């Protein structure tokens, strides 16, 4: 029997955990697989082993693992496969297939533009847009976020846009924000984050400190959250995983 196991990042904030679970459950309703479970890599329960074992207890013989992550960083490349490798050793009779993160997807530009236009009526030549990702030491994360920023700029003719990061990659959000002080009248901050959590709270504190020393208008957009476009991207990744012919060897 087949099972789908969705792996979210996890957060200490209950609101963020509930948002992640609700989003995945919306997608679950569109997929015809008998067993469907949600788990978290860290900071929340159930853990990956707990989710994996629940699938087995419900009768799963094949588990399709889908990472609910925006970009392909070390969590997706290393941490989740490490957990799955250990579980395969414990349960060698279970076949495992491992899917892809959201990654660079053309539809994402339209979602980001909707988030921007919800907060501002127009983007002028004196506006600077910051696309802010979580960040990672993995260079693919920097490359992919810059590609997403480029796609957004090309689709909607944004005059000035820059990708930056909260941790692990450069340039940092704080650095880019301060460097924009002398050049732009308005800065539009677009968090490339799925849901609420400590990271978005930290961004709000950074902006609060910044506006005390600047006359610029700083506009913070919403996280990606519940959205039909994001749901379609995840459903695409789910279907790719279900159609994978080879089982994963970790």
């Amino acid at each position: 029997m087949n099972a789908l196991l969705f792996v979210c990042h996890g957060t200490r904030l209950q609101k963020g955990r509930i948002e992640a679970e609700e989003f995945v459950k919306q997608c679950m309703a569109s997929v015809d697989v008998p067993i469907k479970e949600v788990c978290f890599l860290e900071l929340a329960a159930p853990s990956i082993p707990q989710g994996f074992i629940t699938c087995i207890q419900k009768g799963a013989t094949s588990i399709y693992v889908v990472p609910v992550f925006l970009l392909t960083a070390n969590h997706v490349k290393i941490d989740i496969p490490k957990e799955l490798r250990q579980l395969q050793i414990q349960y060698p009779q279970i076949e495992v297939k491992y899917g892809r993160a959201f990654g660079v997807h053309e539809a994402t530009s339209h979602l980001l533009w909707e988030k921007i236009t919800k907060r501002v009526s127009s983007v002028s030549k004196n506006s600077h847009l910051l696309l802010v990702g979580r960040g990672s030491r993995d260079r693919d994360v920097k490359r992919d976020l810059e590609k997403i920023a480029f796609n957004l700029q090309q689709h909607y003719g944004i005059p000035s846009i820059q990708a930056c990061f909260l941790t692990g990659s450069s340039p940092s959000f704080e650095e880019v924000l301060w460097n924009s002080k002398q050049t732009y009248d308005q800065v539009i901050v677009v968090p490339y984050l799925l849901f609420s959590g400590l990271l978005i709270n930290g961004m709000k504190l950074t902006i609060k400190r910044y506006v005390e020393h600047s006359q610029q208008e700083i506009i913070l957009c919403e996280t990606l959250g519940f959205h039909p476009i994001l749901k379609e991207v995840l459903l695409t990744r789910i279907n790719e995983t279900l159609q994978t012919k080879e089982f994963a060897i970790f």
Side-chain angles (χ1 to χ4, degrees):
M1 189 182 298
N2 292 336
L4 267 174
L5 180 61
F6 297 88
V7 182
C8 302
H9 183 277
T11 174
R12 293 184 180 89
L13 296 185
Q14 184 180 19
K15 181 183 177 184
R17 178 182 59 79
I18 292 172
E19 287 176 349
E21 286 182 332
E22 288 300 317
F23 171 67
V24 172
K25 286 176 181 177
Q26 284 185 12
C27 296
M28 283 181 176
S30 302
V31 183
D32 185 19
V33 174
I35 302 168
K36 290 169 278 194
E37 295 292 327
V38 185
C39 64
F40 298 90
L41 174 62
E42 59 186 12
L43 306 175
S47 65
I48 294 175
Q50 288 170 333
F52 194 93
I53 291 168
T54 298
C55 290
I56 295 173
Q57 291 173 340
K58 290 184 175 182
T61 55
S62 301
I63 300 179
Y64 297 77
V65 182
V66 179
V68 188
F69 285 69
L70 288 173
L71 299 172
T72 305
N74 288 336
H75 281 329
V76 175
K77 292 180 180 179
I78 298 173
D79 299 334
I80 297 174
K82 181 180 178 181
E83 295 265 18
L84 296 177
R85 183 164 55 246
Q86 293 171 345
L87 288 163
Q88 276 203 310
I89 292 171
Q90 295 176 48
Y91 303 95
Q93 76 281 12
I94 303 299
E95 297 177 306
V96 179
K97 289 185 179 180
Y98 184 45
R100 292 198 293 154
F102 288 52
V104 180
H105 195 288
E106 287 295 324
T108 305
S109 295
H110 310 307
L111 169 54
L112 293 171
W113 184 246
E114 184 177 311
K115 294 294 180 181
I116 294 164
T117 54
K118 187 175 181 179
R119 296 286 285 120
V120 297
S121 56
S122 63
V123 179
S124 71
K125 292 182 179 180
N126 289 321
S127 298
H128 188 42
L129 195 148
L130 304 183
L131 185 62
V132 188
R134 176 186 295 270
S136 169
R137 292 187 298 274
D138 190 315
R139 284 182 289 184
D140 288 350
V141 169
K142 181 179 175 67
R143 178 203 64 202
D144 288 350
L145 192 67
E146 288 176 346
K147 176 63 175 175
I148 292 165
F150 175 80
N151 289 344
L152 177 60
Q153 185 174 36
Q154 293 299 301
H155 274 116
Y156 294 101
I158 296 170
S160 179
I161 187 169
Q162 187 170 5
C164 56
F165 304 89
L166 297 172
T167 183
S169 301
S170 62
S172 71
F173 168 54
E174 191 164 355
E175 172 191 354
V176 171
L177 190 60
W178 281 93
N179 288 344
S180 69
K181 184 186 295 187
Q182 304 299 326
T183 309
Y184 302 97
D185 297 330
Q186 181 189 69
V187 177
I188 303 167
V189 180
V190 185
Y192 198 66
L193 304 170
L194 278 171
F195 305 111
S196 303
L198 296 176
L199 292 177
I200 191 70
N201 290 346
M203 290 176 66
K204 291 176 181 178
L205 288 174
T206 298
I207 292 171
K208 183 179 179 180
R209 290 195 302 267
Y210 177 81
V211 296
E212 294 173 353
H213 305 280
S214 173
Q215 299 301 313
Q216 281 177 315
E217 181 184 19
I218 309 296
I219 297 172
L220 177 63
C221 298
E222 298 175 348
T223 56
L224 302 183
F226 299 103
H227 197 282
I229 289 177
L230 208 60
K231 179 181 176 181
E232 287 304 312
V233 175
L234 181 55
L235 287 173
T236 298
R237 297 295 179 246
I238 292 169
N239 290 327
E240 287 176 357
T241 309
L242 293 173
Q243 292 167 14
T244 301
K245 295 181 180 180
E246 297 296 329
F247 284 90
I249 300 174
F250 298 98

